[in-house]
Amino acid sequence: QTTLAGYVERMKDGQDEIYYITGESRQLLESSPHMEAFAAKGIEVLLLTDPVDEMWVTSVPEYDGKPFRSVAKGEVDLDTDDEKKAAEAEREEQEKEFGDLLTWMKDTLDEHVKEVRLSSRLTTSPACIVGDTFSMSPALERMYRASGQPIPRTKRILELNAGHPLVSGLRTAHAERNDDPARAETAELLYGMALIAEGGEVEDPARF
């Protein structure tokens, strides 16, 4: 366990936000795809596993002038200016290479996701699901529904790891075999894997 003061003392140079992730258990959170980029950079993330934390983080905006930031929401930008500049050409090339696949996957998974984009937070997992910066977390949605409040389901964003063989293989299949029905099944598989990895549940377990 730690204190917020202790976290702030250990923050890296240039870090101006307190990163956290909420979930049901420490084991689940430590293995979450959302943590990969932070682990790779050696950036500390608060693991909040008490149910009340879901409510607490929505009502406490900051500590010691440092805003709280969920690693499972919004876009992740952990690179320095030099690292961004060095990776800019590669990023632009990836956006061009994967553009058709991202558009097709958005149409294929339209019932479930609002957007499909390349990820900057993944290092080993093929995909993850993230919310908008100020969206309600899935766990908080479930808490409200369990208490009888009618909360509409929020479509979230599917992020893909361009360097993962499953994702690059799907891009190749989409370009070369656009009549192959396995493409749509693989898109659903990627979405289901990302959902399960964050502790969620697929709508049709038998089909998955």
Side-chain angles (χ1 to χ4, degrees):
Q1 299 219 342
T2 187
T3 63
L4 293 175
Y7 179 98
V8 171
E9 285 180 6
R10 295 187 298 271
M11 285 171 63
K12 287 184 171 292
D13 290 341
Q15 182 182 342
D16 55 9
E17 295 176 308
I18 297 173
Y19 295 110
Y20 72 87
I21 183 170
T22 60
E24 294 181 2
S25 72
R26 175 174 179 160
Q27 181 181 8
L28 179 66
L29 296 182
E30 286 182 336
S31 60
S32 168
H34 299 120
M35 295 283 286
E36 292 177 2
F38 295 86
K41 295 277 187 180
I43 297 175
E44 189 173 349
V45 177
L46 296 175
L47 308 180
L48 307 180
T49 57
D50 193 298
V52 76
D53 290 330
E54 292 286 352
M55 305 294 294
W56 182 77
V57 293
T58 62
S59 58
V60 182
E62 63 175 42
Y63 171 80
D64 195 25
K66 309 287 193 299
F68 288 96
R69 171 78 186 277
S70 170
V71 303
K73 295 181 183 180
E75 298 213 39
V76 167
D77 185 6
L78 303 178
D79 291 338
T80 64
D81 290 340
D82 289 342
E83 288 172 331
K84 289 177 191 172
K85 192 172 183 180
E88 186 176 356
E90 180 184 2
R91 183 73 177 181
E92 289 178 355
E93 184 64 26
Q94 284 182 341
E95 292 287 354
K96 190 183 300 181
E97 288 180 357
F98 285 84
D100 287 346
L101 175 67
L102 298 178
T103 301
W104 170 79
M105 284 191 68
K106 166 63 176 71
D107 293 339
T108 302
L109 300 171
D110 186 62
E111 180 183 347
H112 306 289
V113 301
K114 62 180 292 186
E115 181 185 349
V116 181
R117 68 190 182 201
L118 295 182
S119 180
S120 58
R121 77 184 82 214
L122 296 173
T123 59
T124 57
S125 298
C128 69
I129 302 173
V130 301
D132 288 324
T133 303
F134 301 106
S135 64
M136 188 181 297
S137 72
L140 192 55
E141 283 187 14
R142 289 194 292 270
M143 286 173 62
Y144 277 123
R145 289 196 191 95
S147 67
Q149 298 189 49
I151 302 294
R153 293 193 180 275
T154 305
K155 283 188 180 181
R156 295 192 294 152
I157 301 161
L158 179 65
E159 289 192 349
L160 304 180
N161 180 358
H164 194 281
L166 182 56
V167 176
S168 57
L170 181 57
R171 178 184 65 83
T172 301
H174 176 67
E176 298 176 357
R177 306 192 302 277
N178 61 14
D179 59 343
D180 188 346
R183 291 178 312 140
E185 291 181 350
T186 306
E188 291 180 18
L189 181 68
L190 276 167
Y191 172 74
M193 289 168 63
L195 201 58
I196 290 172
E198 70 164 11
E201 298 177 352
V202 293
E203 292 182 3
D204 189 344
R207 174 173 169 74
F208 181 78

